[in-house]
């Protein structure tokens, strides 16, 4: 197999990150079935119980730090923020210092050529736009167990 250089994502002038590809995952024993494995499972740690689903409305403040993704590595934090897609929910730090539940509604270039993220921070249509230099301090991705209250009401009505 030919090793090609990893594609890179430019975050800003200071940061350049490797992009993860599913083909980069290395299996310890390729071609073996888990069912045929007779190894001792006593060393496997039990998994933690799944987190309770937490519902938020746009503009709600963070109730627990477990509701936002937090990484120990700086690069992982940047990668998770950069990977946010339109309509995804996230946490944005407001001027008051509170983290607010919001939705990414636009990614566009400003007059400097920077990609600016615009978030809807309330149900009344208030917006907050952030340049890349502020993303690392002011944006966090929601944990997988966080949902929008809007989707909860839609699911109940079905």
């Amino acid at each position: 197999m030919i090793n090609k250089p990893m594609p890179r994502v430019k975050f800003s002038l200071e940061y350049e990150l490797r992009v993860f590809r599913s083909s980069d995952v290395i299996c310890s024993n390729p071609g073996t079935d888990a069912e045929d494995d007779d190894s001792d499972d006593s060393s496997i740690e039990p998994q933690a119980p799944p987190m309770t689903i937490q519902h938020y409305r746009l503009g709600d403040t963070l109730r627990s730090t477990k509701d936002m993704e937090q990484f120990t590595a700086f690069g992982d934090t940047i990668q998770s923020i950069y990977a946010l897609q339109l309509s995804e929910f996230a946490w944005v730090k407001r001027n008051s210092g509170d983290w607010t539940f919001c939705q990414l509604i636009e990614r566009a270039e400003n007059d400097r050529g920077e990609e600016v993220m615009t978030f809807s921070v309330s149900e009344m249509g208030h917006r907050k736009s952030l340049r890349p230099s502020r993303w690392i301090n002011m944006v966090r991705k929601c944990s997988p167990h966080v949902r929008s209250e809007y989707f909860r009401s839609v699911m109940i009505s079905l």
Side-chain angles (χ1 to χ4, degrees), residues 99-110:
W99 289 95
T100 302
F101 186 70
C102 60
Q103 187 173 27
L104 180 60
I105 58 172
E106 182 179 10
R107 290 180 87 142
E109 285 191 9
N110 64 9

Side-chain angles (χ1 to χ4, degrees), residues 22-66:
S22 60
S23 61
D24 294 335
V25 176
I26 300 172
C27 297
S28 58
N29 294 322
T32 62
D33 289 337
E35 295 173 5
D36 296 338
D37 188 13
D38 292 331
S39 63
D40 181 20
D41 290 340
S42 61
S43 64
I44 297 174
E45 295 181 25
Q47 292 184 343
M51 295 290 294
T52 304
I53 301 295
Q54 295 296 317
H55 290 93
Y56 285 89
R57 291 178 184 260
L58 291 180
D60 284 354
T61 56
L62 183 67
R63 294 187 290 261
S64 169
T65 55
K66 293 178 182 179

Side-chain angles (χ1 to χ4, degrees), residues 66-105:
K66 293 178 182 179
D67 294 343
M68 74 167 61
E69 288 190 354
Q70 298 181 31
F71 300 96
T72 54
F74 183 71
D76 293 339
T77 302
I78 293 170
Q79 185 76 19
S80 73
I81 295 167
Y82 189 82
L84 281 172
Q85 300 294 313
L86 290 178
S87 300
E88 274 193 84
F89 294 97
W91 297 101
V92 169
K93 194 172 195 176
R94 304 304 301 271
N95 294 337
S96 64
D98 293 331
W99 289 95
T100 302
F101 186 70
C102 60
Q103 187 173 27
L104 180 60
I105 58 172

